Amino acid sequence: MTDFLFKRMTLIGIGLLGSSISLAARQKGLVEHIAVHTRSSETLARAEELGLGDSYHSDLGESVEGSDFVIVCTPVGVCEAVAKSIAPHLAKGAIISDVGSVKGSVIQQMQPHLPDYVEFVPGHPIAGTEQSGPDAGFAELFVNRWCILTPPKGTDPAAVDRVEEFWTALGSNVERMDAHHHDNVLAITSHLPHLIAYNIVGTASDLEIVTNSEVIKYSAGGFRDFTRIAASDPTMWRDVFLHNKEAALEMLGRFTEDLTALQRAIRWGDGDALFDLFSRTRSIRRSIIDAGQEIEASDFGRHLKEGETHAAKLASDDHEHTGS
Ligand code: NAP
């Protein structure tokens, strides 16, 4: 059979993103061979039990040998070390990509180490859940989600087209943009909301006037939805903030100013200011639902009926996840 998009794809890191790519690529018949590398022998063994690859490699260099497509699916903080290790083993003409939630830093970390006979097409699927590890993956993760490609200047357009074709086949809508712009947009749509969630859950757990059992008991009052985001992987999110520092601080500055204005409105009893803002924000949620990026249900479609699989739920109600 010759109509595979890639002959041999290496996934470096086989957590939520790596395992979902593996399952989806196999389901769609996009690659002939999937090679898997991850840092720990435990995760590698689990990936093998789950059948996520065709070959399993504890040696990073060996895992990319002969591959025409390599996707780095690790936390963004290790991209430089990964690029250094794989560089001498990469095949001529191979396409190197990633799924990191930050793009400027990934390019800075990786590009200087990659040989000029490979093509570098960084990517970020805006699709995720608060789960991590190889058991968390599912083939439908990318369906109807955006995937942003940020190829640096000079990348062969044919290589970018092939990566776009790959993500489109996984069900994503693909957009190309400059890495700097990506990092600013994601700072407000994803990174800041995660920081707010981590902060509010941290504040609640530190409060002495409210007991822990009350926090849990009355969580449906809004807190519960923040806890889902605040349960996201600590390593991944630590790296996101360390590697998108400038944009995150800029958005945090604006957020703090707006919060101060709200504080003033409450203090001075300015109901109109509060009502105006709350009306504006309500219409933004409506636009997100209209754009098919969320559903109307008050449980955000998160409750599975007994026996219903995650994938079936997603397929049936087109669906739930916040992208990261
Ligand atoms: P994950 O489930 O925690 O998996 C991370 C994987 O990277 C694991 O296989 C882990 O290996 C491996 N790893 C960690 N450090 C490594 C190292 N030094 N060398 C080699 N492998 C290493 O993470 P994820 O959610 O898939 O996220 C992976 C990437 O996708 C991150 O860059 C994140 O920014 C991006 N992303 C995440 C989401 C999301 O919602 N989760 C969405 C879009 C993009 P071991 O288990 O063997 O230690």
Side-chain angles (χ1 to χ4, degrees), residues 14-17 38-40 43 73-75 78 99 101 125 127-128 132-133 324:
I14 194 79
L16 170 68
L17 270 286
T38 189
R39 174 181 55 173
S40 72
T43 306
C73 306
T74 65
V78 300
V99 293
S101 308
S132 32
S324 305

